[in-house]
Each structure stands twice: as C-alpha cells, then as structure tokens.
Amino acid sequence: MSPKHDATLKERTTRWMQERYPLDKVTGFAEKKQVPLYHGTIWYYFGGVTLFLFLIQVVTGILLLFYYRTGADQAYESVRFLMTEVQFGWLIRSIHSWSANLMVFAAFVHMFSVYFTRAYRKPREFTWVTGMLLLLLALAFGFSGYLLPWNQLAFFATKVGTDIVGVVPVAGDFMLNLLRGGPNVTGATLSRFFGFHIALFPGIFTIILAVHLLFVQVQGMSHPLGAEEQAPDKTMPFFPNFVLRDLLLWLIVLNVLALLAVFFPWELGQKADPFTSAPAGIRPEWYFMFMFQTLKFLPAHILALEGEVVGVAGFGIAGLLWILVPFLDRKSEKGRKSRKLTYIGLVIVIYIIVMTIIGYVLS
Amino acid sequence: MRENTDQSSRRKALNWLLGGGVVAWLGAILYPVVRYLQPPEMPEAVVSSVKAGTVDEVPVDSGKIFKFGNQPGILIHTPDDQWRAFNAVCTHLGCIVQYRDDLDQIWCACHNGHYDLQGRNISGPPPRPLEEYDVNLQGNDIYVSKT
Amino acid sequence: MKIKLLAVSIVMSVGLLFSFARGQTGQAPNTCVDCHTMLGAPYDSIVTAQQSDIHGTNDINCVDCHGGDPTSMDPDQAMSAQAGFIGKPDHEEITQLCAKCHSDASYMGDFDPSLPVDQLAKYKTSVHGQRLAQGDAKVAECASCHGAHGIQSVKDPRAAVYPLNVAYTCNKCHGDPEYMAGYNIPTDQFQEYQQSVHGIAVLENKDLGAPTCNDCHGNHGATPPGVTSISQVCGTCHALNQQLFQGSVHESVFDMMDMPECETCHGNHEVKPVSDAMLGTGVRSVCMNCHAEGDEGYETAARMSAAIDSLSTAYDSAQVMIQTASAKDMPVEDLQFNLRKVRQDLIQTRTMIHSFELSRVRDEKKTGYQAAADIIRQAKSLVREYYYRRTGFGIFTLIITLLAVLLYLKIRQIERKQQRE
C-alpha cells in the first residue's frame, strides 16, 4: 500500500536482491521447513550446538595460528608464549581446548539422540553415514590437536595411541609409519599432525559437513517414529523460531565456554622429553578413554590372537556395524521401533560411560 | 489482523534493544580478539635456542651470565678465542658460577669450587661437571642451544 | 709332652696337606695363614681381615712385616727370632716398620707412584708424633687409624680413613674421656661436629665436599691450626670470606689480641648454620661480644644488619608474592628465575659482611633489592590479571544474559504474533 519510495530498508534490500538472485525460491523453501514439537524436541538442538562449537574451533584455531609455531624446538615455547605474553592468548587457547571437548561431547549426544529416535531411517541413511564420518573426523581432530603443544602428556599419549594403531595386522606397521612420519614419535610426527589438523581434516570436514547440512535442509527435520504427518500445532517453523531458539542456546554455550576458560584454564605441563620415562597418569582424552580402558582389560592372548588385536578388530567391526545401522534396521522404515536396537544402544551408552569412569578412577 | 500501535511500539523498542544487545555482544567478542592480534612487547617466542649476547658484549677472556629457559647460563669467550657456554648452576649447592680471567677457570664463590673451560669440576666440593651447551655465531649474535 | 707332640704332628700333617694343595695351585707357601686358619677363633680373625687388605692383594704378606719363615709348619721354626720374627710390633716400632716401605719413594713407585712418601716426616711434626717421641704410648700411630690387618686405601669407602669415616676414627680416642684424661683437651669435639653444618654435610648427607677432621687439622701432620692461620684454613673452601677478612680491620686486631679469627664468631667444631641474627646489635649477635653501644663497631654492625634485613625481607616478600600468583594458576617461571638471582645477591651481600665495611655491604645489596622489588611488582600484576579475568568474565556474562533475555522476549513476541495469525 505504501508507495515505492516509502518502502522500509528491509523491503528495499529484499527487492534489490530479488532482482539479481532467486531469493523467493530460497525463502519459499525455507518457510516450509518445520520442526516437530514433542517431548523429544530438545534433542534437535544438539546438531546445531556441535556446528556452533566447530565454528568456534575454526575461529580460535585461526587465531592460534597467528602465534603457534610448529617444530619440536618451538611448539611448546610458542604455546607458553601465547599463554603468558599474548593478550588474551590464555583465553583463546583455553577456549579452543575446552570447545574441542564440548564439541565431541555434543556430537556424541547428537548421534545417540538420532539413533534412539531412529532419525537415520529412510530417507536419511546417508545423513547418518556422513554424520558418522564427521564424528570420526572430530576424533581425529582431537587426537592430532592434542599433540601440538608438544608437552609430556601429549607426547606419551600420542606414542601409546599410535602404538595401538600398529597392532592392526598386515597394515598396522605401514599405518604407524605413516602417522608418525617414522618409527618413533618425533618432530616429524608433530609436523604431520599439524598438517592433518589445520589443512587436511578441515578441508575434508567442511566438504562432508556441507553435504550433511545440505541433506538436512533438503530433506527437512525427521519426525518422531509413527507420526509422519504432524498437525500444524505440533510443529514449529524452522525459520525463524527454531533458528532463534538455537541461537539462544548457542549464546548460553558460549557463556559456558568462557566460564570454563576462566575458571578451569587448560594446563600446559612440561615440555616433551623423549628420553625420560613416561610420566605417571598418561591417558588419552576422555573420548578415547573407554576404548583405551577396554584394551587394558583384555588379556594378553585370546585364543590364538593377541588381546590387543582382538580389541582393535572388535572396535573396528562394532564401528562398521554402527555406521551401517540404517541399512540393518528393517523395522524403522516401516514405522516401528526395534526394541532390540534400543537395548543395544542403551548397552553401548552405559558401556561407554562406565568404561570412561573406570578409566579415570583407575589412573 | 493488524497489531495496534501499542504492540508496534513495543516491537520497535524490543528491536532497538536487541540491536543494542547484539552490538554490545559483538564488542565483547571483538575486544579480546583485537587485543590478541596486537603483538606483545616481546614479539617472538623464546625458543630453545637463546640469543645469549653479541660478540661486542663479551671480549676475549671474559664471561657473561644469561638466561637459558628458566636456568642461568654462562657464556665464555676463552683466551684462545673460543666460545663456550654452560649451565651456570654450581653442581655442589646451587650457587651461580662466574668466570675468573685471572685463573682462566670457572669459579664458584660459595665454596671455592673450580671448573675448567670444558666445564669439568677440577677442584673443591663440586661433584659433577657443568652441563655444556652448543654455541653458534650468526654475524654479531651469539646463539646458545641445548646439545 | 705326648699331647704336645700329637698336636704338633696333627698340625704339621694338615699343614702339609695345605701346602701340598697350595703347591698344586702354584701359590707360594704361607704357613702363617694355614695355621692361623686351622686354629680357628680368635687366631683366624687376622686371616679374614687380611683377605681384604691392600697389602695382601699386592702380594705383600705376613712375613713382610712380621718376619718369620712362611714355609715351615713347625711353629717354633716359623715364628723364630732367627727367621726374623718380631711378633706384634711395639707401639714405637710401628711407625718405623710402616715407613720402611712407605717412605721409600722408589719402592712405592712400583706400586702407586701417586702415593705420598712423606707420612713419617709429617707425623714427626704432629702432636701425636712429638708425644710418641717422648714416650707416650697412648697416642695414635699408623695402625691406630689405618688398622693393622685389613688395611684399605683411603679411597675405599670401607677404610677407616675414608673421608666419611674419619670423624668416627678420630673420635675413638678423642671422644673417650677416660682415655684422654690428663691431656687437658676437650673430648666433645665429635658431638660438636655432629651438630655442625660440616658434620651434618659429611655424616648425614655424605657430601664428600665438606670438611672432616683431617681437612682442617691435617692427617699425618695433625696439629690444631695456629690462631693467626685459622682464616687460611677455613679459606681453602671459603676463599672469598678469607679474602675479605684478611683485607679488613678485624684481621690485625684479632691477631694482635690472640683471637682465633673465624673461630671467634663461628666456632671451630660446632660451626652452626649462620643466621642474620648473628649480625647487628641484638641478643644473639656475636658483634656484641666485643662491641658496645656508642663505639664505631656498634654503629657499623647495626647498619649492616639493617641493610641485610631489608634485602632478606625483600627476598621473602618476593617469594610470597610468587606463591600467591602461582596459587592463582598464573605462570611464574620467569619470576622464579629472577628470584634465583636475588638469592645469589643475598648470599653475596652476607659474604660481604666479612669486609666489615658498611659501604661495600650497602653496594652489594642494591642490585638484589632492586630485583626483588621488580619481582614483587610483576607478581602483583599477575595477581591483578587474575582478578581482571574474572571481572571480564562477569561483564561478559552480563552482556550475554542481557542479550539472551532480549532474544527470548523477541522469540516470544514472534510466536505470539504467529499465534494471532
């Protein structure tokens, strides 16, 4: 009703864009996206939280790059410099370390919530697969990043972790050499892990993330099992409602990160010294703890095979089955929850929690 | 249904407040980032190779105490124009050693401990030699690093 | 008579067996060892001791000191005067006996060219040697300290004269009041030494760098140091203190007054750890033993004490500040490095006391004091940083809370609007 020259800034901008790009197709599509409202709605936020934490990692990671130096004779000192001399360096570093842990945690929650709600069922099988790849990459990020400060704990944890890789029959030694840049953990390992951490993994992660998000946007949010068509009052629009709520949650997560960084700053420890014996209490980061503890519990030999080989193989097979769950779960695409799968999922969650706790208590 | 002016003005107020809040939040984020990007006074990390001094500072037959990591080190320009560097903590009871040009030896004043120019404990109470470091000259600068 | 004949024949036959056995292994006959071993206690103790003896391992055996015939199984022959047997040497004979080899440079050169050969000459100058020459049978001679059988090199930790064992060896006589009755010297040196810095270093910490009896008194030439040479003796380790003292006013005064230099303030055997309370005008000050209020020494003592106290307090404050910053998880490695320098300066300032010149003490203190002040300043700024971070977090939380509330209101507003439509 208002004449053209009285249009608001928003209207004028929209018209300017519309004359150049198919904005209405995008907004039209976005308006249709709905998020189911039910007792499980809260779980829908965790994917976004993981994404937010990843973005934090990218930003803090790039900032850290301004001062971090790689190389066995420079890495530790550069991190110490960062923590003591650079203004707010302590903050950036602590946020980066804490956010890494929170991101892996959020990813696990997101994964398990998708599992228990069977959101992976047709047509979303490959969203699940790409999601699992993202989780594996996140773990790889964590493992490679952990070494970068080149301190005692990280050095020996990397040694132990890569030792386990070497246990794999046939390909083990090859993989170990590839990871370590040689038979031992040295400055060459540090260079490699640095390359993985800031170039290779981010590149692959971004591509797979884009695919993952594209799938989610194109296919929309999955509905709880057995209720495909929802009445309008049982859903909320993705834009702007869900997005704004998501942003609100992100603000709170940011505050939590700041709290952790200020009140529980990440330690640096001693510089790595390959010639000392391993310090007491080396252990992997918590997200590897359950696997590490399982391997510790396994006896030295099971039947004819080495205990460790059985453990690694076991986790490998379990991981593979887990990735293939959407294709193995016949019931969910028919709209029914397989109780067996729920129990299996519960057992796995409890196992992970219990093993992680045991790992910490025993060390 | 049109919203009444009451709600409209409340909406405008909320939008302005929200905008203000976002700006404040951006400020709180950008302030540390900008400060972070400004280089500190000492622009580089101290590396395990330390610049102990310059050739001009340390004439022949003299020594200089410098900081190596968190330990004191002693840099020596020997009478026959060689450069040596050692950990300066006396192996007896931890005093800081010094160079004696009258003896051409390293000496600890606390209990008269003597070390030769290879760092070996040659007289007095010290039970062990001094840890030696590598010395490299680059132009006028002297760099000391762990062996 | 028959029994004696029987005993001798038994001994002889067994001895023959021994020497036969030894002959089989190619060893020289040594009937001394054979018989003494066979006879059992108490005769075999010298054989056991001799097995670890440094002479024994160099093929110097019983007859080389005692004389006699080591090839004969007959005790009357083996231990006969014709064979040169001297039995257990007399007290006065021992020194000559040992010196027979140990003062012969060319003989000793075949075994260990680095061993001194002047022990007897030095011994003769010592209190022990002099008294022995006057006929005193109670003083120490070679065997008293080194043992007779089972002698080990002074470098061997089992030796009675190994540095860590010397104090116990000397104390065997010098700490026995009954034995030392009539000599008019104290018998509590060991107890005093045990409490002293040097004693604790040697006896408890096994620090070979610390002095024991012979380091100050000499070993073969053992004599208490003369009053005017005490600073020389202490100065063999405490070189700087000696240098400063000998350049100071106190040296000439002490020597003139027959006061034993270092010992006057520090004691001789019971050298206790020094404390700043020894300086100045307080109750425990050694300066007040001679000086009194009003004289120049009193003034100097008071002012030097004040200088040292201020540096010591500064050092303590710096340490406390570093602890405080460290307790707040702030990085303090640099500050701890600098604190080392302050500690060094404190030691040097305390050493400078021995010059007894106020200006030099004050000069020495300046750098340390400045460094300590710097540390305190930096540590305080670290503590401030700790609070600054928490304040910053508080402000940030405030902003986030504000924004979150506003965002929530916005969401509610949008959703209400949506409900109406």
Side-chain angles (χ1 to χ4, degrees):
Chain A
M1 208 157 119
S2 344
K4 202 165 178 180
H5 58 270
D6 277 336
T8 64
L9 181 62
K10 184 176 168 202
E11 285 165 3
R12 286 213 303 271
T13 323
T14 315
R15 206 178 316 135
W16 190 91
M17 293 285 279
Q18 186 57 41
E19 285 162 8
R20 289 157 180 74
Y21 305 102
L23 208 58
D24 55 345
K25 289 224 181 77
V26 175
T27 48
F29 175 74
E31 270 164 6
K32 289 209 215 93
K33 190 158 170 213
Q34 301 287 325
V35 177
L37 281 175
Y38 72 115
H39 62 85
T41 305
I42 187 163
W43 300 112
Y44 284 103
Y45 290 103
F46 277 90
V49 170
T50 316
L51 174 64
F52 174 65
L53 291 168
F54 176 70
L55 293 174
I56 296 271
Q57 288 304 84
V58 172
V59 170
T60 52
I62 291 174
L63 287 174
L64 287 173
L65 260 184
F66 276 66
Y67 292 102
Y68 174 77
R69 292 191 183 191
T70 195
D73 59 336
Q74 297 188 76
Y76 179 85
E77 285 81 0
S78 70
V79 177
R80 203 165 92 79
F81 178 71
L82 216 145
M83 301 277 280
T84 57
E85 303 288 337
V86 177
Q87 294 171 65
F88 292 103
W90 59 274
L91 184 68
I92 306 290
R93 194 229 165 186
S94 276
I95 287 186
H96 194 80
S97 301
W98 271 115
S99 176
N101 280 275
L102 291 187
M103 178 182 156
V104 172
F105 180 73
F108 269 103
V109 172
H110 178 54
M111 173 182 80
F112 279 117
S113 68
V114 166
Y115 177 86
F116 286 115
T117 56
R118 312 290 192 276
Y120 55 69
R121 66 188 185 279
K122 175 178 172 182
R124 292 180 176 79
E125 297 97 327
F126 280 97
T127 318
W128 171 266
V129 171
T130 50
M132 282 308 300
L133 290 176
L134 288 174
L135 179 66
L136 286 173
L137 273 170
L139 296 178
F141 262 117
F143 188 66
S144 53
Y146 197 54
L147 181 65
L148 297 185
W150 199 245
N151 57 3
Q152 278 286 70
L153 241 54
F155 178 84
F156 285 101
T158 306
K159 186 165 163 348
V160 171
T162 46
D163 270 339
I164 293 175
V165 166
V167 154
V168 170
V170 182
D173 272 335
F174 171 75
M175 289 202 293
L176 186 138
N177 266 287
L178 201 69
L179 278 177
R180 285 185 177 175
N184 295 312
V185 175
T186 58
T189 320
L190 183 60
S191 299
R192 250 163 224 242
F193 275 33
F194 185 63
F196 289 151
H197 191 80
I198 69 158
L200 184 65
F201 293 159
I204 301 177
F205 194 93
T206 308
I207 294 172
I208 300 183
L209 179 65
V211 171
H212 186 80
L213 290 176
L214 185 69
F215 286 167
V216 172
Q217 291 306 314
V218 162
Q219 292 179 323
M221 298 303 234
S222 116
H223 288 257
L225 252 184
E228 291 304 325
E229 289 305 317
Q230 292 289 323
D233 60 330
K234 286 274 182 71
T235 68
M236 89 166 103
F238 189 79
F239 295 101
N241 302 51
F242 187 78
V243 168
L244 286 178
R245 285 165 181 271
D246 218 1
L247 281 176
L248 184 56
L249 183 59
W250 290 10
L251 274 179
I252 295 169
V253 168
L254 185 62
N255 207 14
V256 167
L257 266 180
L259 188 141
L260 289 169
V262 169
F263 290 96
F264 303 99
W266 209 260
E267 285 186 353
L268 182 53
Q270 304 278 53
K271 183 171 175 174
D273 185 352
F275 298 111
T276 54
S277 42
I282 42 151
R283 46 171 197 246
E285 280 288 76
W286 64 270
Y287 37 86
F288 290 122
M289 183 59 91
F290 73 97
M291 289 188 274
F292 186 64
Q293 190 57 45
T294 309
L295 288 176
K296 274 167 95 170
F297 275 153
L298 288 176
H301 281 91
I302 297 175
L303 301 179
L305 298 164
E306 269 181 44
E308 267 196 322
V309 176
V310 173
V312 171
F315 277 118
I317 293 171
L320 192 64
L321 288 174
W322 188 258
I323 294 179
L324 293 176
V325 150
F327 307 102
L328 300 172
D329 180 2
R330 293 278 137 232
K331 280 190 176 168
S332 60
E333 61 181 295
K334 297 187 192 116
R336 285 181 351 251
K337 261 195 196 175
S338 154
R339 226 183 253 172
K340 197 169 62 174
L341 280 176
T342 308
Y343 285 146
I344 291 176
L346 277 174
V347 164
I348 289 176
V349 170
I350 291 171
Y351 181 80
I352 290 177
I353 293 175
V354 167
M355 272 302 171
T356 310
I357 293 174
I358 290 179
Y360 275 94
V361 165
L362 282 185
S363 72
Chain B
M1 196 144 60
R2 222 20 120 69
E3 54 181 357
N4 56 33
T5 41
D6 229 7
Q7 284 170 334
S8 159
S9 63
R10 224 181 288 149
R11 189 161 70 89
K12 280 211 186 86
L14 188 57
N15 284 352
W16 274 103
L17 278 175
L18 200 55
V22 169
V23 168
W25 178 82
L26 275 173
I29 300 287
L30 285 174
Y31 173 73
V33 171
V34 168
R35 289 280 304 272
Y36 175 89
L37 291 172
Q38 284 165 347
E41 275 163 18
M42 191 183 23
E44 287 181 25
V46 167
V47 145
S48 71
S49 168
V50 163
K51 180 172 156 189
T54 59
V55 175
D56 309 326
E57 277 180 322
V58 191
V60 165
D61 201 21
S62 73
K64 177 187 175 206
I65 298 285
F66 63 96
K67 184 169 165 214
F68 191 76
N70 61 348
Q71 297 257 311
I74 182 167
L75 173 68
I76 297 175
H77 194 176
T78 69
D80 53 351
D81 205 23
Q82 305 256 333
W83 291 92
R84 293 255 141 74
F86 304 94
N87 182 310
V89 178
C90 181
T91 56
H92 179 223
L93 290 177
C95 293
I96 296 181
V97 301
Q98 53 190 275
Y99 180 71
R100 286 277 296 268
D101 52 9
D102 53 335
L103 299 171
D104 288 347
Q105 286 173 355
I106 301 169
W107 183 63
C108 181
C110 285
H111 299 99
N112 204 18
H114 294 254
Y115 302 85
D116 67 7
L117 294 180
Q118 260 80 39
R120 291 183 288 242
N121 47 324
I122 51 176
S123 158
R128 285 180 308 276
L130 296 172
E131 186 191 346
E132 187 164 10
Y133 299 140
D134 274 338
V135 182
N136 283 304
L137 264 66
Q138 284 176 24
N140 198 33
D141 295 336
I142 305 169
Y143 287 92
V144 174
S145 56
K146 280 226 173 179
T147 52
Chain C
M1 191 55 201
K2 273 206 178 146
I3 296 170
K4 191 179 174 206
L5 199 58
L6 185 61
V8 168
S9 5
I10 291 174
V11 166
M12 280 179 72
S13 11
V14 177
L16 269 166
L17 271 166
F18 265 102
S19 48
F20 179 71
R22 196 183 278 109
Q24 293 291 78
T25 60
Q27 273 180 315
N30 193 339
T31 54
C32 322
V33 171
D34 301 336
C35 288
H36 275 265
T37 315
M38 235 177 25
L39 290 167
Y43 302 99
D44 62 352
S45 58
I46 44 176
V47 179
T48 345
Q50 197 63 6
Q51 278 164 350
S52 57
D53 188 295
I54 192 174
H55 297 112
T57 52
N58 280 302
D59 248 347
I60 296 167
N61 293 309
C62 321
V63 295
D64 297 305
C65 292
H66 291 284
D69 180 359
T71 58
S72 164
M73 284 305 302
D74 178 1
D76 290 324
Q77 169 57 29
M79 301 193 286
S80 68
Q82 294 98 314
F85 186 69
I86 60 169
K88 185 172 169 182
D90 283 337
H91 209 67
E92 299 81 16
E93 288 177 320
I94 290 182
T95 52
Q96 295 302 328
L97 182 59
C98 303
K100 204 174 51 160
C101 298
H102 279 276
S103 295
D104 183 343
S106 50
Y107 181 75
M108 292 308 297
D110 287 341
F111 292 96
D112 185 351
S114 68
L115 273 183
V117 289
D118 60 352
Q119 294 93 330
L120 183 59
K122 278 187 152 161
Y123 178 76
K124 284 183 173 160
T125 69
S126 72
V127 177
H128 296 144
Q130 286 171 354
R131 294 199 97 99
L132 186 72
Q134 289 161 6
D136 187 339
K138 287 171 81 175
V139 292
E141 25 72 18
C142 314
S144 320
C145 298
H146 289 276
H149 310 108
I151 301 174
Q152 281 113 9
S153 155
V154 72
K155 297 189 191 115
D156 188 328
R158 298 170 296 176
V161 294
Y162 182 67
L164 297 183
N165 300 331
V166 163
Y168 297 104
T169 307
C170 303
N171 190 44
K172 272 212 205 92
C173 295
H174 282 274
D176 184 344
E178 280 171 32
Y179 194 78
M180 297 300 296
Y183 286 113
N184 284 331
I185 52 174
T187 51
D188 59 353
Q189 296 94 329
F190 183 77
Q191 278 73 15
E192 290 189 333
Y193 177 71
Q194 238 182 351
Q195 316 260 359
S196 73
V197 189
H198 299 138
I200 291 174
V202 170
L203 302 173
E204 286 179 34
N205 300 337
K206 315 288 183 209
D207 181 358
L208 286 171
T212 183
C213 313
N214 62 315
D215 293 299
C216 296
H217 291 283
N219 39 17
H220 300 111
T223 315
V227 155
T228 55
S229 61
I230 288 184
S231 62
Q232 286 290 132
V233 171
C234 304
T236 52
C237 289
H238 298 276
L240 210 48
N241 305 58
Q242 171 203 351
Q243 217 174 36
L244 291 170
F245 177 81
Q246 286 180 343
S248 78
V249 294
H250 275 175
E251 198 210 6
S252 43
V253 170
F254 278 27
D255 288 352
M256 198 169 59
M257 293 173 64
D258 228 16
M259 285 161 66
E261 300 189 327
C262 313
E263 185 189 334
T264 315
C265 299
H266 290 283
N268 50 1
H269 301 116
E270 75 285 37
V271 179
K272 285 283 167 63
V274 288
S275 75
D276 290 339
M278 283 170 68
L279 174 69
T281 57
V283 163
R284 282 182 293 165
S285 155
V286 296
C287 311
M288 295 297 102
N289 290 342
C290 299
H291 292 283
E293 186 163 356
D295 69 28
E296 196 186 330
Y298 182 90
E299 288 301 316
T300 313
R303 296 218 176 99
M304 286 203 297
S305 176
I308 302 248
D309 280 347
S310 76
L311 181 56
S312 176
T313 313
Y315 175 79
D316 288 338
S317 304
Q319 215 172 20
V320 166
M321 278 316 299
I322 290 180
Q323 298 277 55
T324 316
S326 168
K328 292 185 157 32
D329 274 330
M330 292 286 126
V332 292
E333 289 89 0
D334 284 348
L335 296 183
Q336 278 166 339
F337 174 81
N338 293 340
L339 192 66
R340 260 207 147 104
K341 302 270 290 298
V342 178
R343 176 178 166 266
Q344 180 76 3
D345 287 328
L346 192 51
I347 294 173
Q348 283 173 204
T349 311
R350 285 174 173 147
T351 308
M352 192 48 80
I353 294 173
H354 296 87
S355 69
F356 300 103
E357 285 175 50
L358 179 61
S359 58
R360 291 179 78 178
V361 171
R362 278 185 171 158
D363 279 340
E364 197 65 44
K365 146 195 162 188
K366 274 198 197 117
T367 27
Y369 194 76
Q370 189 55 45
D374 281 340
I375 291 174
I376 291 173
R377 195 174 37 83
Q378 285 168 327
K380 280 194 177 148
S381 78
L382 281 179
V383 173
R384 267 200 306 273
E385 168 74 15
Y386 172 85
Y387 288 110
Y388 171 70
R389 290 183 189 182
R390 273 146 181 77
T391 316
F393 171 73
I395 295 174
F396 184 70
T397 307
L398 228 66
I399 294 177
I400 288 232
T401 314
L402 199 71
L403 191 58
V405 165
L406 288 171
L407 190 54
Y408 177 69
L409 289 175
K410 185 72 187 171
I411 291 170
R412 221 171 49 164
Q413 189 191 68
I414 289 177
E415 286 178 352
R416 281 221 188 104
K417 186 156 163 258
Q418 284 168 343
Q419 275 170 350
R420 276 199 297 272
E421 284 165 7

